[in-house]
Amino acid sequence: MSAVLRDPSAWWAAAAAQGHAMLQQAWAAAGEGLGPENHADGSALTLAPVYPAPGVEAVLITLPPPQAPTECHYIALVRAAGQPPRYFVAERGIEGEGGAQRAYWAEWAHAPGGGIMRIRGADLPAVSPEAFVAAVAAVCNAAPPGPQAPPWQGVRPNTPAKMNRVGLFLGAGCFSLVLLGLGFGGCLLYQEEGRGLHVPDTEVASVAVEPDKPFKIQFVWDGTGYAFNNIWLVVDEGTTSGASFKVKGNVSCSRDRRAESVDRSLTGYGAHDVERKGGSGFSGWFYLMDEYERSSSRPIECSGVIAPSTGAWTKARIVVTQRQRPSDWFAQ
């Protein structure tokens, strides 16, 4: 996604001749730093041109079958006539009644204020490349706005202007309601797509951790719907080595999740709220993993071993925070 969004047109042009090589390079780069148990076999990745609708062309990438919600079935780079290519994914949804498989489309795009945002779309009628490509082609090939009303010609000559105060008040009231609706909708959109999921938040559980010594932490998600239970290493007192700090280890949680290898650094995407304390000292939060779970009174237990591979700490904790999107609140 990062490579495509940097220059969608260039990636599109290169994909025709070098698509499979580019795909394998991107797959290998995405897996750097992960242990063998967390590598999915990318040897069968496919990339093919498709033409889902008149004036719309796409490059469809088929990924290994997703194992958990929000992992992707497919990727599509879609271009409609006169528009730059757009980046879509088909994500696995939470299973429906009777274990029925669900999927929905989402788009990754540049945010208006800078950065990248994910826009969640509608559920797909079927978990298939045909249904996915048809849905995103419709989004890219949406009909233009309908004809506009003719411009207002002003007051007729020699006709005295009259002010209808009732209409003015009703118009002002309606406009206020529109503004309120837009504000509420914008807030929901921000909570769903703009607000980061893996950022430090209120602590719900914490336990001290020492290098290379096993830790365990228990917590409960008993709110409404689903939540992201984020697992963090919080270094309260740490020191760098050569201006660098890195940690490695394995973390697993109790609800049918296998151990995951973690490899985080002071300058990587998983580092947050880093505070330099003079010399080589620092403090900071390091995102390890999350446990996306439905509300339950049953405790969740996470355990593992983690240690610095570069630098050191004298005081650190494993911390759990919880975060929801509006869709997680209503998810069943």
Side-chain angles (χ1 to χ4, degrees):
M1 179 267 292
S2 298
V4 172
L5 292 187
R6 275 197 298 270
D7 193 340
S9 297
W11 203 96
W12 177 282
Q18 307 173 38
H20 290 283
M22 293 161 59
L23 197 57
Q24 290 297 330
Q25 290 172 1
W27 190 260
E32 288 181 358
L34 298 179
E37 70 278 9
N38 291 317
H39 276 180
D41 183 9
S43 61
L45 290 170
T46 62
L47 179 148
V50 292
Y51 304 92
V56 180
E57 50 188 338
V59 174
L60 176 68
I61 298 169
T62 302
L63 302 173
Q67 302 300 308
T70 74
E71 294 181 358
C72 297
H73 292 275
Y74 315 105
I75 299 169
L77 193 61
V78 186
R79 184 173 69 174
Q83 300 178 13
R86 295 165 63 178
Y87 186 95
F88 294 90
V89 293
E91 296 185 5
R92 174 175 169 175
I94 299 168
E95 293 181 351
E97 294 184 4
Q101 291 293 311
R102 295 174 54 241
Y104 55 88
W105 67 263
E107 180 178 9
W108 288 92
H110 291 285
I116 303 297
M117 64 179 180
R118 171 183 167 278
I119 303 167
R120 189 195 189 283
D123 279 15
L124 298 174
V127 185
S128 70
E130 293 80 11
F132 168 51
V133 172
V136 297
V139 173
C140 291
N141 207 22
Q148 297 181 350
W152 178 60
Q153 300 298 323
V155 180
R156 293 180 182 177
N158 304 319
T159 301
K162 296 181 180 180
M163 180 177 290
N164 187 330
R165 294 184 180 276
V166 174
L168 178 63
F169 291 142
L170 288 175
C174 291
F175 185 66
S176 298
L177 289 175
V178 170
L179 288 179
L180 181 62
L182 289 174
F184 181 70
C187 180
L188 282 179
L189 179 62
Y190 169 74
Q191 294 293 327
E192 180 70 24
E193 304 292 351
R195 190 179 75 150
L197 290 172
H198 303 136
V199 295
D201 211 327
T202 304
E203 300 180 20
V204 298
S206 177
V207 63
V209 63
E210 298 181 43
D212 285 323
K213 290 189 177 180
F215 67 83
K216 287 185 179 180
I217 187 168
Q218 281 194 344
F219 56 95
V220 172
W221 165 244
D222 56 0
T224 301
Y226 283 77
F228 288 85
N229 301 281
N230 295 322
I231 318 300
W232 301 87
L233 169 68
V234 179
V235 177
D236 294 307
E237 298 176 6
T239 55
T240 60
S241 176
S244 179
F245 179 83
K246 296 181 180 180
V247 292
K248 292 184 178 182
N250 294 280
V251 182
S252 64
C253 289
S254 58
R255 296 191 182 177
D256 303 321
R257 285 283 294 272
R258 61 185 182 182
E260 293 189 12
S261 298
V262 295
D263 186 351
R264 303 289 183 262
S265 69
L266 197 61
T267 56
Y269 77 94
H272 296 267
D273 292 357
V274 175
E275 181 182 348
R276 301 287 183 172
K277 297 186 175 181
S280 59
F282 78 95
S283 63
W285 290 58
F286 297 86
Y287 169 74
L288 302 180
M289 63 179 293
D290 69 59
E291 187 79 347
Y292 186 65
E293 284 293 339
R294 181 193 291 230
S295 174
S296 171
S297 60
R298 183 177 61 170
I300 305 171
E301 181 179 278
C302 294
S303 59
V305 177
I306 195 165
S309 57
T310 303
W313 77 64
T314 54
K315 183 180 179 181
R317 300 170 289 144
I318 298 296
V319 171
V320 178
T321 64
Q322 292 169 335
R323 178 156 284 201
Q324 279 187 300
R325 303 166 298 189
S327 60
D328 300 322
W329 180 276
F330 298 105
Q332 299 295 325

